[in-house]
Amino acid sequence: MKGNARLAKVVVSPYFSQRVTRSSAASASHTADTTIVKREKPKPEQPEVVSAAKSRKLSEAPSQRKHVSIKYEDNATRTELECDNGEADIMPGSVDLMNNQWEAPNWREHLMNISEMRKKRDAPVDLMGCDKLQDDQAEPEVRRYHVLVSLMLSSQTKDQVTAAAMGKLRAHGLEVPNILRTADKKLGELIYPVGFWKKKVVYIKETTKILRDAYNCDIPPTVKELVKLPGVGPKMAHIIMDVAWGQLTGIGVDTHVHRICNRLQWVPKPTKNPEDTRKAVEAWLPRDKWREMNILMVGFGQQTCLPIGPRCNDCLNQTICPHSKTATKGHKPQKKAKTT
């Protein structure tokens, strides 16, 4: 271009960069400025360099992924982690990551095997439990009273002894007014030799008086009221609510259930008493398994998982029971006494 110097128009493109140069002043034939537009290939994007501090900040930022708790048909709870791409990673294990809920490993197999070993239902608890000792022909409130008294007698007592005592009581007349008319000495003779029979005479008399005065000769309809009765604890209360009232309020945990749950490690850490065991197991065991727990585990404890000398070799859970690994180990042979 000739004539007065002028700036060339530069067309800006989003895809190309421009470079403008001016013509040399020493050019003899041209006095005007010259604009040259040169198109260059786009440079590839370079990855962003993240400093260590920024990296730590990003790693500490809260995750945007949502935790969704899903339940399966067997009521087992697992955690589904929703990924960015819409897919889900199911994280199996003994802990619900969303609710921080612990559950015992292999508990389904344990329960299935125990049910198989107990299918004959021929343990003492099956034949002489509290549900078998009531008079089915009596009035509802009398039957409920029978359930209550049989459980009070069963504490620290074998089922056979409890059944014999209940037979004598029923023959004598096991009703609230009649028991209140019965002398303590006579009542003791009727229930002997149940464990702590002298204390139980006092408990039965005191409890029966409360039933007459506060419940019109019936029994309390709630766990809260039942445990206020003399000689009645949480285990008895939950079983009474199930057998007498037909309401599931909790697991009846006695010494058998307490022992077996600790041996199978159905508790996050060893428990010292049945009530702690009940709370620990109820925290994770599906509610539809609660009702069968007492009679299933008690019978298993009476026949196989004995307090002393458990029959681990006859147990279907031998290979998956933590206790059997130590119980079945051979004893070290005793050293021979030195002879002089």
Side-chain angles (χ1 to χ4, degrees):
M1 293 180 289
K2 295 181 181 180
N4 297 330
R6 62 181 178 179
L7 295 175
K9 293 183 180 179
V10 178
V11 180
V12 180
S13 170
Y15 303 101
F16 301 100
S17 60
Q18 293 80 25
R19 185 174 63 186
V20 179
T21 60
R22 302 181 68 86
S23 59
S24 174
S27 174
S29 58
H30 300 284
T31 58
D33 295 334
T34 303
T35 301
I36 301 174
V37 178
K38 184 178 180 180
R39 294 181 178 180
E40 294 181 352
K41 295 182 179 180
K43 295 181 181 180
E45 294 183 0
Q46 297 296 325
E48 181 183 0
V49 179
V50 182
S51 64
K54 186 175 181 180
S55 178
R56 285 194 302 270
K57 184 176 180 181
L58 291 173
S59 63
E60 293 173 357
S63 175
Q64 299 300 318
R65 294 179 290 183
K66 299 179 181 178
H67 293 272
V68 181
S69 179
I70 58 175
K71 290 187 176 181
Y72 296 86
E73 293 181 357
D74 60 353
N75 288 331
T77 304
R78 296 191 178 184
T79 298
E80 183 177 89
L81 181 61
E82 188 178 15
C83 301
D84 294 336
N85 59 2
E87 298 179 355
D89 294 332
I90 297 176
M91 305 175 65
S94 59
V95 177
D96 183 332
L97 297 183
M98 177 182 178
N99 300 317
N100 196 25
Q101 179 178 318
W102 180 93
E103 69 174 27
N106 299 319
W107 71 268
R108 294 177 184 83
E109 292 81 0
H110 290 156
L111 199 58
M112 181 179 65
N113 289 335
I114 293 173
S115 298
E116 176 65 22
M117 290 182 282
R118 292 275 290 114
K119 64 182 180 181
K120 292 183 179 180
R121 295 298 171 117
D122 54 0
V125 69
D126 300 308
L127 307 176
M128 294 168 279
C130 65
D131 59 323
K132 305 294 183 183
L133 302 179
Q134 58 183 312
D135 184 359
D136 294 332
Q137 304 303 319
E139 294 297 321
E141 64 272 14
V142 175
R143 292 201 307 268
R144 289 191 283 267
Y145 181 58
H146 289 182
V147 173
L148 171 61
V149 173
S150 67
L151 281 166
M152 294 177 70
L153 295 175
S154 69
S155 177
Q156 303 295 315
T157 306
K158 290 184 177 297
D159 289 331
Q160 296 89 333
V161 178
T162 302
M166 281 295 295
K168 290 186 287 184
L169 284 171
R170 285 175 54 183
H172 172 73
L174 188 53
E175 297 180 8
V176 169
N178 193 41
I179 293 300
L180 290 176
R181 289 192 298 264
T182 302
D184 291 0
K185 182 180 179 181
K186 178 61 178 179
L187 185 58
E189 293 173 354
L190 292 171
I191 69 173
Y192 179 84
V194 300
F196 304 100
W197 64 273
K198 291 182 180 180
K199 278 189 175 182
K200 290 177 181 178
V201 167
V202 177
Y203 290 156
I204 291 173
K205 275 296 189 71
E206 291 179 351
T207 293
T208 304
K209 187 176 184 299
I210 293 172
L211 301 185
R212 181 196 64 187
D213 297 342
Y215 297 96
N216 194 25
C217 295
D218 206 341
I219 68 172
T222 66
V223 171
K224 184 178 180 179
E225 294 171 284
L226 283 167
V227 295
K228 292 180 180 179
L229 298 176
V232 177
K235 182 261 297 189
M236 296 182 195
H238 289 299
I239 296 176
I240 290 169
M241 290 301 299
D242 183 20
V243 178
W245 291 108
Q247 298 179 26
L248 180 63
T249 56
I251 301 172
V253 178
D254 68 348
T255 54
H256 290 291
V257 182
H258 169 63
R259 177 180 70 255
I260 294 167
C261 286
N262 275 270
R263 285 180 174 178
L264 292 175
Q265 294 184 3
W266 277 26
V267 288
K269 59 182 180 180
T271 51
K272 295 182 179 181
N273 57 68
E275 182 61 7
D276 288 344
T277 300
R278 180 188 68 82
K279 294 176 181 178
V281 174
E282 286 183 359
W284 63 267
L285 185 69
R287 190 179 178 87
D288 63 351
K289 307 295 183 185
W290 290 10
R291 178 165 272 128
E292 65 178 338
M293 273 288 292
N294 179 266
I295 194 167
L296 197 65
M297 292 293 191
V298 170
F300 178 59
Q302 291 175 336
Q303 294 180 314
T304 306
C305 197
L306 306 176
I308 301 174
R311 299 168 182 168
C312 297
N313 291 331
D314 300 329
C315 182
L316 297 179
N317 285 323
Q318 181 182 3
T319 59
I320 55 175
C321 173
H323 181 75
S324 70
K325 297 176 182 179
T326 57
T328 57
K329 287 182 179 180
H331 298 287
K332 294 182 180 180
Q334 295 181 353
K335 294 182 179 180
K336 294 182 179 179
K338 293 182 180 180
T339 57
T340 57

